Amino acid sequence: MLQGLTIGFIGAGNMAEALIRGLLEAKLVAADQIIASDIVEAKRQQIHQRHGIQTVTEGRDVATKASILVLAVKPQDMETALKGIAASVDQTKTIISVAAGITIAFIAERLPAKARIIRAMPNAPALVLAGAAGIAKGEHATAEDLQCAEAIFAAVGKAVVVDETHLDAVTGLSGSGPAYAFLFIEALADAGVKMGLARDVARLLAAQTVLGAAKMVLESGRHPAELKDMVASPGGTTIAGLHVLERGGLRGTLIEAVEAATIRSRELGRR
């Protein structure tokens, strides 16, 4: 799908580097098919040294050479970035944005007519090639554009195609979700320490437990409730613990957290 194409990154921060690493490790492209720009010289040198790709200062130089442009700048820098590349963008290029809260319409208004735009919402675990991304297709993007975007984000985890109206919910769930999981792991580890385990032992057991549970859901294809019931023996330790979690409102609190993050994402998108 990406064979023979040049992929350009406007901005070379953490998410851009995660995608570059994923693409190279999956052997979807070679290093000479990737070019990235960043205004910070140290970041350009770091990316070049780590991955062997070409780096430049100006986004327009990336836009001129690349078939696929990944907009990986901070949301507050998007306006400037789009101005810098607009003259080099035409209908032959695929534009993929990973900037939170920046709509397809916002990008389209600042680029030439009928620009082929894909908007994506990846998350932090992409940094360890275990990310989850929602991808939405703009009006003029093609089916092939969408397939290219899916291939790029699949290189750093899982990717799902959604309507753009659902990207705020993706943000509230998988975008913010790692923080919820980190809090859950921290709390599990603290509980282990309270019960007498060493801190490093408790943290390892907590993190590996969450990782293993997630793998069981993904690889078994079974409903989480069914897997939960497998672990909870009648009259056993697990059902006693589950009773406490239900009584404490964990389920409802998590639902409300995703709802609150989704609402906040919508508010930020209207700025």
Side-chain angles (χ1 to χ4, degrees):
M1 178 54 64
L2 301 174
Q3 190 173 12
L5 297 177
T6 299
I7 302 176
F9 289 84
I10 309 296
N14 289 336
M15 186 55 65
E17 185 170 10
L19 293 170
I20 291 166
R21 176 190 166 200
L23 287 166
L24 293 175
E25 291 192 6
K27 300 188 186 308
L28 293 175
V29 295
D32 61 6
Q33 290 176 254
I34 301 176
I35 179 172
S37 68
D38 202 281
I39 60 174
V40 179
E41 182 180 359
K43 174 57 71 173
R44 296 197 304 273
Q45 292 178 349
Q46 183 183 69
I47 292 288
H48 172 70
Q49 290 169 0
R50 285 180 179 172
H51 306 289
I53 69 166
Q54 181 184 359
T55 59
V56 294
T57 304
E58 299 294 336
R60 64 173 175 267
D61 294 328
V62 174
T64 299
K65 295 181 179 181
S67 304
I68 299 174
L69 292 175
V70 181
L71 307 178
V73 297
K74 295 177 181 178
Q76 60 267 32
D77 297 329
M78 182 62 80
E79 181 97 38
T80 300
L82 291 171
K83 286 181 180 178
I85 67 171
S88 303
V89 170
D90 57 31
Q91 293 175 27
T92 69
K93 298 183 186 292
T94 304
I95 313 297
I96 301 174
S97 171
V98 298
I102 301 296
T103 64
I104 292 172
F106 180 97
I107 298 169
E109 288 168 3
R110 289 157 180 82
L111 293 179
K114 298 184 179 180
R116 292 156 48 186
I117 302 166
I118 301 285
R119 179 182 168 194
M121 181 63 219
N123 68 357
L127 300 177
V128 292
L129 308 187
I135 305 170
K137 175 180 171 296
E139 179 184 359
H140 301 292
T142 66
E144 185 176 347
D145 292 331
L146 195 59
Q147 289 172 354
C148 287
E150 288 184 88
I152 290 170
F153 290 100
V156 294
K158 304 288 186 182
V160 295
V161 177
V162 299
D163 187 86
E164 187 181 15
T165 58
H166 293 146
L167 281 180
D168 290 314
V170 171
T171 301
L173 177 55
S174 57
S176 300
Y180 315 153
F182 295 146
L183 182 62
F184 184 70
I185 291 169
E186 181 188 26
L188 281 180
D190 283 346
V193 171
K194 182 178 182 182
M195 293 298 102
L197 294 176
R199 172 66 64 182
D200 58 341
V201 171
R203 185 168 58 246
L204 185 149
L205 289 174
Q208 183 63 29
T209 296
V210 173
L211 173 63
K215 286 193 71 173
M216 286 183 71
V217 172
L218 291 172
E219 295 181 8
S220 72
R222 300 169 77 173
H223 194 284
E226 184 181 359
L227 295 172
K228 176 202 70 180
D229 290 346
M230 282 173 50
V231 182
S233 303
T237 59
T238 303
I239 195 65
L242 286 169
H243 177 225
V244 174
L245 293 177
E246 292 287 6
R247 190 172 60 202
L250 176 66
R251 184 190 304 264
T253 300
L254 284 173
I255 291 171
E256 290 175 6
V258 172
E259 181 181 27
T262 300
I263 291 170
R264 182 56 179 154
S265 178
R266 289 173 184 159
E267 292 171 349
L268 292 173
R270 289 195 292 265
R271 287 182 304 178

